[in-house]
Amino acid sequence: MAIRDRFSKKLNCPQCGNAGFAEASEIDDPKRKHPDFKVDQLPRGFGVQRASNHQESFMIKCECGRKFPFRSLAEAAAERR
């Protein structure tokens, strides 16, 4: 079984300013056809619009109604304390 690479991303909604940290994971094996990307936890105010095996096409929906790809408005989370 492949090891899952876990990481945090900060989500920012450009429409309402809603922000928070999402916890995500994917399989760390470059030989796989798809990385089996999953969002394990979303911050309050965000939901899944369309799930996908790839970050680029995984769609998030903000409570204000704005929809966007996970990767487009997510940035790597700096060390949180």
Side-chain angles (χ1 to χ4, degrees):
M1 184 170 191
I3 295 174
R4 292 194 72 80
D5 184 20
R6 300 188 184 282
F7 52 95
S8 295
K9 293 270 188 166
K10 184 174 182 184
L11 299 179
N12 292 302
C13 177
Q15 186 167 307
C16 71
N18 193 12
F21 289 92
E23 303 298 325
S25 63
E26 61 189 8
I27 293 177
D28 187 20
D29 183 357
K31 295 179 206 147
R32 288 187 55 106
K33 217 177 213 183
H34 59 77
D36 191 29
F37 174 77
K38 291 183 180 161
V39 174
D40 303 315
Q41 184 177 359
L42 284 169
R44 177 173 284 177
F46 291 96
V48 175
Q49 174 67 26
R50 184 182 69 224
S52 173
N53 285 318
H54 300 277
Q55 285 187 53
E56 296 80 14
S57 52
F58 194 101
M59 297 293 290
I60 299 292
K61 182 176 182 181
C62 181
E63 64 187 356
C64 73
R66 176 75 183 246
K67 300 170 193 165
F68 52 90
F70 177 83
R71 189 172 215 159
S72 72
L73 294 176
E75 56 191 62
E79 268 189 53
R80 295 188 293 169
R81 295 173 194 225

